[in-house]
Amino acid sequence: VLHYQPKVNLKTGAISGAEALVRLQQTDNRLVCPAKFVNIAEECGLILPIGKWVLHEACRQTQAWLTAGLDIGQIAVNVSARELRSDFLEGVLSILNDTGLDPRRLELELTESGMMQDMEKTLEILCALKQLGVQIAVDDFGTGYSSLSYLRRFPIDTLKIDQTFVQDIGGEAGETIVSAVIAMGMSLKQRVVAEGIETKQQLDFLKSRHCAEGQGYYFGRPMSADKFATLLAAKCRVGT
Ligand code: C2E
Ligand code: MG
Ligand code: MG
């Protein structure tokens, strides 16, 4: 099943989108978190059918919300490196076609290490997606072992500051790193999203540095599609 976590415009407090996060539902209805199965699914190749299902379901649900008059903004979907190496572009095209979702509503989240594997092929796929209007985000930014030069080469729209840096806000080193990433993103004309915001102190600091968007338990945990629809319908301004 997919759960949805709100992304929030830090200036207005309005919901600007959601990230779709997969959970495995056991026969007793208990949910298993992705940390327990995504790596295994990557190793054994099952991530390919899972990833296709996730993308299809996230696009289908987003289009259903839009049709019902609920403006969700953008939907972000996580993509593993392994998916990029298969028929990824064709898969995205066919899902967009099938669900009727406007490609500009879709953002794909990739990790730095995922992008670094087979750089030329990744660049080709990302450029083709970008031409369609699909947005590209770097997830967990700052935690991979990669050179910054890829930020110039790849068509990246969004940097997601990893939650470990956000949790270091309050300490001098943490604040310096977060400020530097926000400043770099702004001058590269990329949107910066802070992940894992849990406290008002973290939020206030990010706002003082003009971070555009945020996501975290402070605003809302990942929730079922039904709960997310209720939140959207209430047009909540969450916690800013
Ligand atoms: P991610 O993409 O960086 O997603 C953010 C994770 O941080 C989510 O964990 C979310 O529940 C959690 N989180 C959000 N706000 C907070 C907060 O304020 N504090 C803390 N401590 N955590 C917060 P989740 O759902 O367990 O997912 C973990 C990772 O699993 C994701 O990290 C992503 O890398 C991967 N994942 C999730 N869904 C998918 C999927 O559909 N496909 C693939 N390939 N990977 C996925
Ligand atoms: Mg993500
Ligand atoms: Mg992340």
Side-chain angles (χ1 to χ4, degrees):
V1 295
L2 289 186
H3 276 190
Y4 297 86
Q5 187 179 34
K7 289 211 230 173
V8 176
N9 177 321
L10 296 189
K11 232 187 203 160
T12 64
I15 294 176
S16 55
E19 177 172 4
L21 294 154
V22 72
R23 278 94 183 82
L24 191 68
Q25 192 166 28
Q26 300 187 144
T27 42
D28 61 3
N29 280 340
R30 278 206 315 207
L31 296 180
V32 183
C33 66
K36 295 232 169 76
F37 67 89
V38 164
N39 279 346
I40 303 168
E42 279 170 352
E43 273 167 36
C44 70
L46 261 180
I47 197 66
L48 300 179
I50 294 176
K52 275 202 177 133
W53 178 83
V54 167
L55 188 61
H56 193 282
E57 178 56 18
C59 291
R60 184 205 62 75
Q61 180 64 80
T62 303
Q63 186 56 45
W65 279 328
L66 290 168
T67 307
L70 296 174
D71 190 2
I72 180 195
Q74 274 186 338
I75 183 77
V77 177
N78 294 284
V79 176
S80 323
R82 178 101 189 235
E83 292 176 74
L84 282 181
R85 281 184 268 133
S86 67
D87 56 346
F88 185 68
L89 184 59
E90 295 75 9
V92 176
L93 280 170
S94 120
I95 287 169
L96 287 170
N97 199 30
D98 197 43
T99 58
L101 186 71
D102 180 343
R104 288 169 299 185
R105 295 269 182 186
L106 177 64
E107 181 159 72
L108 298 174
E109 296 192 2
L110 290 112
T111 58
E112 294 170 315
S113 41
M115 286 184 168
M116 289 306 115
Q117 293 176 24
D118 200 349
M119 270 179 76
E120 293 312 316
K121 172 119 195 274
T122 305
L123 185 62
E124 201 183 298
I125 296 172
L126 296 190
C127 288
L129 288 167
K130 179 89 189 157
Q131 287 249 306
L132 289 173
V134 174
Q135 308 266 296
I136 309 294
V138 184
D139 206 350
D140 310 335
F141 181 74
T143 61
Y145 300 93
S146 60
S147 93
L148 288 177
S149 66
Y150 81 99
L151 289 178
R152 272 192 284 119
R153 285 195 71 199
F154 285 19
I156 292 161
D157 303 285
T158 305
L159 295 181
K160 294 192 79 178
I161 307 181
D162 189 65
Q163 50 185 328
T164 53
F165 300 121
V166 174
Q167 268 136 38
D168 280 346
I169 290 174
E172 200 183 319
E175 293 189 352
T176 306
I177 292 174
V178 168
S179 303
V181 174
I182 295 170
M184 186 184 69
M186 288 203 300
S187 45
L188 288 170
K189 306 218 166 16
Q190 287 157 348
R191 234 166 71 221
V192 179
V193 181
E195 290 191 272
I197 303 174
E198 292 182 357
T199 68
K200 176 93 169 57
Q201 185 199 5
Q202 291 162 352
L203 173 63
D204 287 343
F205 178 80
L206 290 159
K207 281 166 76 169
S208 77
R209 293 298 184 277
H210 308 290
C211 182
E213 274 174 72
Q215 188 182 343
Y217 295 166
Y218 184 79
F219 303 116
R221 289 183 177 247
M223 60 191 92
S224 67
D226 282 353
K227 287 206 176 116
F228 194 76
T230 309
L231 191 68
L232 280 178
K235 284 205 187 326
C236 292
R237 300 197 178 274
V238 266
T240 45

